[in-house]
Amino acid sequence: MRGTLGLVFLWFGALKVANVSPVSALVADTLSFVPLPASFVVPALGVFEIAVALALITGRWLRPFLPVLLLHLVGTFLVLALHPSVAFKDGNPLMLTMEGEFVVKNVVLIAGTLMVAATLPPREAPGEQPQESRLPVSDAARH
C-alpha cells in the first residue's frame, strides 16, 4: 500500500511541478484564498506530494508526513464546498462531474493512508531496547 500510494503521489506531484497537471486550474481556484500566487502554490503542492511519495516509498519520516497528508487529502474536498457547480452536474450532489469524481476518489487515498498509519510499528520509548531484541527467551537459553 505504501508503494502504491507513493507512486500515485510521485506522479501527481511531478505533474504539478512540471505545470502540466490537468487539475492545476482547479487547485488554483480552490486555493485562491491563500495569499500567494497560484504559480507558486500549485508547484509547492507538487513538491509536498513528491516529499510524501518519497516518505511512503522509503518508509522514512512517515509519522510526521501521514497526518499532513491526511489534512491535504481532506482539503481536496473544499472543491465540493467552494465550487459545487464544478463538482456536481446541474447542482445535483448525486451526479458528479469529472472534477467531482476526481475529488471523491480521494476517499480511497484517505483509506489507504489510514491503513498505512494503522500498520506502523509502535514507537519505542527513549532508552528502550529495539523490538527484535525484546523477544522472549526460554529458560533453557538462559542457563
Side-chain angles (χ1 to χ4, degrees), residues 23-137:
V23 297
S24 288
L26 180 62
V27 170
D29 287 345
T30 303
L31 297 177
S32 62
F33 63 88
V34 175
L36 295 169
S39 61
F40 174 80
V41 172
V42 175
L45 190 58
V47 169
F48 166 74
E49 290 175 344
I50 290 170
V52 165
L54 295 174
L56 286 163
I57 290 166
T58 65
R60 295 182 178 271
W61 296 93
L62 286 174
R63 289 188 195 281
F65 271 106
L66 290 177
V68 182
L69 174 56
L70 281 172
L71 286 174
H72 165 63
L73 288 169
V74 169
T76 63
F77 288 91
L78 283 173
V79 171
L80 305 179
L82 299 178
H83 302 293
S85 63
V86 172
F88 305 114
K89 187 175 182 179
D90 301 323
N92 183 342
L94 299 177
M95 298 295 294
L96 296 170
T97 63
M98 184 168 51
E99 292 83 357
E101 284 190 21
F102 178 81
V103 171
V104 172
K105 66 93 177 80
N106 285 341
V107 169
V108 176
L109 296 177
I110 290 169
T113 301
L114 289 172
M115 193 207 83
V116 169
T119 58
L120 286 175
R123 287 188 180 195
E124 295 174 3
E128 189 175 338
Q129 294 178 0
Q131 286 282 353
E132 54 274 358
S133 65
R134 291 189 289 161
L135 296 173
V137 178

